[in-house]
Amino acid sequence: MIHFPKLMLGDNLPSLVKIATALVDDYSPTVECNAEDLITAEPVALCLLAAAFGQLQRRGQRARIRGLRAQVKENLARLDVLREWLRERPEQLQSVDSGDSQSILRACRVATLGEANELANMLSREIAAFVPADDMGAILQTDPSLYQYRVVEQPLGYIIAELLDNSLNHARASGFGHARAWVAAQYYGVGDLLRLAVVDDGCGFLESLKHHPGVTPKTHQNAISMAFQPFFSCKKDVGIFRDATHQGIGLTVCRDLCLRADGQISAASGTAWLSSPATPGEISRRLNPGYQGSVVMMTFHRRAITPGSLGEIFRRYQPDENLPIRFI
Amino acid sequence: MSTIAHDTTVKASTDPSIFILGTRSVAVPLRQRVESALQSGPGNVCLDFTGMTVTQSYMDELLGVLILRYGPALLERVAFKMCSEDVRAVIQFVASARIRDYRELAAKSAIS
């Protein structure tokens, strides 16, 4: 019997990975779970559970969840990523009350890059359109600062698209053609906090970068950290890096967008979990058991995002002076 | 400002539900259209990014690949219309990095 705790939070990633691992290590025809304590699960927990249940399903197993509170079940069943687990009618992306009555969760599974682009557009647009209740009054007064809520649309869409593209492309290039990704977001009726998680069941950072001489020694910790370094997987590494067409800036820009929005970012793969990867504040922790695929989770504040952030970040990393490109 | 005539104008997306062009795969059909237009004659191509945001991955798959194939001269035949400051920065970044890659590869080829 696998027990789900009361709170399945990103801050306790090792516990979440342990639960996901216990699920996939169970080869019983029906995997028994006890969820009577479960009240709320953050995006990364939903993604990890969905990935684990997906693996059970591919092996022809079933999962039986005992004690799931009616409200939690009703809410989770509306999430695309868990619909097969709960055997509910298929629905597309849905918003749900996560159980704590203050937040909204959105989650979806992505199997193709076409789906990834569509989801990045849909999810970021819907989140940007949401204004917390404590600011609704300001709308009536046409407070121009509320424009700041819409500003999240482009950076959020950028981050989701890049993370999903990264997950699926690297997995396929490393022989994990079956890999899928799960994305979940959580935002609140009060305040501007936004949580985002992207999890895949692909090859993980180290497998993608194992032939790169920059990853020395060949550890999960080094691989994650280097993946967030700018230009790490650049074109001049042709023949060394397996999918050498990448420029090696995608994860770096996602991290910088998050940090500029007063955010926190962490990534995990294998037996390593890094907060603020490839920054002076990087903190590395050990995951035991480890996670085969990759996990990226972040929290940031929507109102801290400023227009033009993306351009400012790219100008900082641009290798040469501006070229005479024809902009009309 | 250039007064170059553009024989072919291609919208980056005609789907009103799309505002971000994010994944590499989405760029491939547009790149093929651009490449086909450039190969069909001496005219120029204008890419219209009205209302769009692009990721670096998308732009690299579109523009970066073309630069690696045809060299910096490609930019003399391609123009970018209605780009936001963010999109301009992504284009400048990708073009700058890929021209550098192109020159490094060309130098290596010359040596060997």
Side-chain angles (χ1 to χ4, degrees):
Chain A
M1 179 76 75
I2 296 163
H3 180 255
F4 293 173
K6 182 178 177 181
L7 304 173
M8 300 182 78
L9 308 180
D11 285 348
N12 199 358
L13 185 64
S15 162
L16 302 179
V17 171
K18 195 171 183 178
I19 292 167
T21 303
L23 284 167
V24 298
D25 284 349
D26 192 328
Y27 283 83
S28 315
T30 300
V31 177
E32 301 285 350
C33 305
N34 180 348
E36 63 186 14
D37 291 336
L38 179 62
I39 293 176
T40 191
E42 285 185 352
V44 69
L46 286 176
C47 290
L48 286 167
L49 282 179
F53 282 119
Q55 197 160 334
L56 294 184
Q57 191 177 42
R58 283 203 296 275
R59 297 197 308 231
Q61 295 170 269
R62 296 189 60 186
R64 183 154 51 213
I65 318 297
R66 297 181 186 278
L68 195 63
R69 296 176 189 203
Q71 186 185 355
V72 176
K73 179 179 180 180
E74 184 183 334
N75 293 339
L76 295 181
R78 283 186 283 161
L79 288 175
D80 177 79
V81 291
L82 297 176
R83 69 172 189 249
E84 289 163 352
W85 165 37
L86 293 166
R87 301 199 178 283
E88 295 289 333
R89 184 171 61 84
E91 291 177 339
Q92 290 303 304
L93 191 70
Q94 294 287 331
S95 65
V96 298
D97 180 320
S98 66
D100 58 15
S101 76
Q102 294 293 323
S103 71
I104 296 166
L105 273 168
R106 294 188 186 268
C108 200
R109 183 185 63 203
V110 182
T112 68
L113 289 164
E115 289 175 9
N117 199 72
E118 191 179 330
L119 179 68
N121 278 273
M122 182 167 56
L123 192 53
S124 54
R125 181 158 278 169
E126 289 182 9
I127 291 173
F130 176 81
V131 178
D134 54 346
D135 279 321
M136 286 302 287
I139 282 186
L140 298 175
Q141 298 164 29
T142 61
D143 179 348
S145 71
L146 283 173
Y147 171 70
Q148 289 177 6
Y149 281 103
R150 303 269 345 164
V151 174
V152 75
E153 185 175 83
Q154 292 188 3
L156 182 60
Y158 189 100
I159 288 169
I160 295 171
E162 280 286 30
L163 291 180
L164 289 175
D165 192 76
N166 203 63
S167 282
L168 296 175
N169 267 322
H170 282 258
R172 279 150 181 68
S174 299
F176 283 65
H178 67 278
R180 295 182 296 182
W182 291 263
V183 57
Q186 183 178 27
Y187 50 103
Y188 296 83
V190 176
D192 66 342
L193 186 67
L194 178 61
R195 298 182 195 279
L196 179 72
V198 175
V199 170
D200 68 60
D201 62 357
C203 57
F205 289 97
L206 183 56
E207 179 65 22
S208 281
L209 296 167
K210 67 183 180 184
H211 299 296
H212 199 295
V215 180
T216 307
K218 308 289 183 197
T219 64
H220 292 291
Q221 179 185 339
N222 283 340
I224 296 170
S225 185
M226 296 306 289
F228 282 84
Q229 292 278 3
F231 303 113
F232 187 66
S233 56
C234 60
K235 186 69 179 174
K236 52 192 159 195
D237 295 318
V238 166
I240 298 171
F241 191 51
R242 299 179 84 168
D243 42 351
T245 56
H246 290 202
Q247 290 187 297
I249 198 76
L251 289 175
T252 311
V253 172
C254 291
R255 178 201 64 195
D256 289 359
L257 281 169
C258 173
L259 295 178
R260 284 174 66 107
D262 294 340
Q264 295 178 317
I265 179 170
S266 66
S269 179
T271 54
W273 175 28
L274 272 65
S275 300
S276 304
T279 70
E282 177 181 293
I283 297 171
S284 176
R285 283 162 283 192
R286 186 169 173 77
L287 276 184
N288 185 18
Y291 184 69
Q292 163 72 51
S294 63
V295 175
V296 176
M297 57 178 170
M298 55 178 75
T299 61
F300 57 89
H301 293 273
R302 297 169 60 184
R303 297 189 76 163
I305 295 174
T306 53
S309 297
L310 195 57
E312 289 170 24
I313 291 169
F314 272 104
R315 282 189 284 276
R316 195 166 73 231
Y317 289 118
Q318 188 171 314
D320 294 311
E321 292 298 305
N322 277 357
L323 298 160
I325 291 173
R326 299 178 193 280
F327 290 114
I328 58 177
Chain B
M1 182 69 69
S2 169
T3 56
I4 189 169
H6 296 102
D7 304 318
T8 305
T9 296
V10 184
K11 276 189 169 291
S13 174
T14 54
D15 183 343
S17 70
I18 297 294
F19 76 93
I20 186 157
L21 298 165
T23 54
R24 285 182 174 270
S25 61
V26 176
V28 174
L30 182 60
R31 188 185 73 223
Q32 289 169 341
R33 285 184 65 189
V34 172
E35 204 162 12
S36 175
L38 291 172
Q39 288 172 345
S40 67
N44 303 299
V45 174
C46 176
L47 291 169
D48 185 347
F49 285 94
T50 302
M52 289 290 133
T53 294
V54 299
T55 66
Q56 168 269 329
S57 291
Y58 171 90
M59 190 53 68
D60 189 46
E61 193 65 41
L62 171 64
L63 180 61
V65 170
L66 290 174
I67 290 173
L68 288 173
R69 283 183 187 166
Y70 301 105
L74 173 103
L75 293 173
E76 295 170 11
R77 295 185 60 195
V78 178
F80 300 89
K81 183 179 179 183
M82 297 297 287
C83 299
S84 67
E85 285 301 312
D86 285 346
V87 172
R88 286 181 183 220
V90 175
I91 291 171
Q92 284 282 3
F93 173 87
V94 168
S96 176
R98 285 312 189 190
I99 285 173
R100 175 180 283 200
D101 291 339
Y102 177 85
R103 287 177 176 149
E104 284 181 5
L105 288 169
K108 281 181 187 171
S109 299
I111 291 169
S112 61

